[in-house]
Amino acid sequence: MRSLRRRTGEAFGLLLVFTIVGLSRVWPPKWKLRRIAASAEVRAEREAAAEGLLARVREIEAGVPWLRALDVVIRDECVDVRGHHISLFGAGPSKKSMTCRMSAFIVFSPDGDPEDAVAEIHRTFPPPDGLSPVGISESLHGDTDERKVTVEVAHDALWARLTRRHGEKSLGQLRQENGALCVWALHGQPYFTVV
């Protein structure tokens, strides 16, 4: 009889743990996270993040005189980060529910080979290693035969906006008109997080 009670207690305890873990993965619900992402509080943080990124874009454009931007694309997205890196035996899930982050992409077409343009920029105006003093990580990529540069929004974003400085031409259209493309990507730190 004791054995049956103990096993029932253990089973109930396990069920309770799995229920709590399951609920923590769905609370707050996605509709509430979407509402938070569109709130005035997040909009204020979003505007501050945009100012920092655009200041760095202007610095790059002024520092590399031959770089003529075909477009500057701003990707802004809020993503549900629950469930990432969950392990029953290792570190627990992230305590965050949603993270909002903004990135800027300077799209340009080099006169010659994209790989040569990337190498030239690294020699004369190197992007900072790691994070810049204002918390922006940078990378530089050019079209290759195997892979074309892209700028996409996460397919599972709770809230997303893609804006372009020079109109609505896709990278494919810019590539058709100008040839091979390069993208200087600037990724800001999260500007808003829901715990």
Side-chain angles (χ1 to χ4, degrees), residues 47-94:
E47 289 170 12
E51 286 177 29
L53 273 177
L54 291 174
R56 179 66 180 139
V57 166
R58 288 188 294 274
E59 183 181 322
I60 291 168
E61 289 176 319
V64 186
W66 57 264
L67 187 152
R68 182 183 58 84
L70 299 171
D71 206 352
V72 176
V73 180
I74 305 294
R75 182 180 70 200
D76 185 6
E77 59 191 5
C78 296
V79 179
D80 185 343
V81 293
R82 296 175 291 196
H84 294 224
H85 311 294
I86 289 181
S87 169
L88 290 176
F89 305 107
S94 168

Side-chain angles (χ1 to χ4, degrees), residues 1-16:
M1 189 63 121
R2 269 189 179 157
S3 174
L4 181 60
R5 277 191 207 153
R6 191 177 83 232
R7 286 186 182 150
T8 303
E10 288 173 354
F12 179 74
L14 272 173
L15 181 61
L16 184 61

Side-chain angles (χ1 to χ4, degrees), residues 117-130:
V118 168
E120 175 66 21
I121 290 173
H122 279 289
R123 274 194 304 278
T124 59
F125 194 83
D129 274 343

Side-chain angles (χ1 to χ4, degrees), residues 10 30 33 59 76 78 95 102 116-117 124 126 134-135 137 144 161 176 180 184:
E10 288 173 354
K30 287 185 184 254
L33 292 175
E59 183 181 322
D76 185 6
C78 296
K95 298 209 183 299
M102 189 176 296
D116 293 341
T124 59
V134 291
S137 66
T144 64
R161 180 175 59 193
Q176 276 184 334
W184 193 318

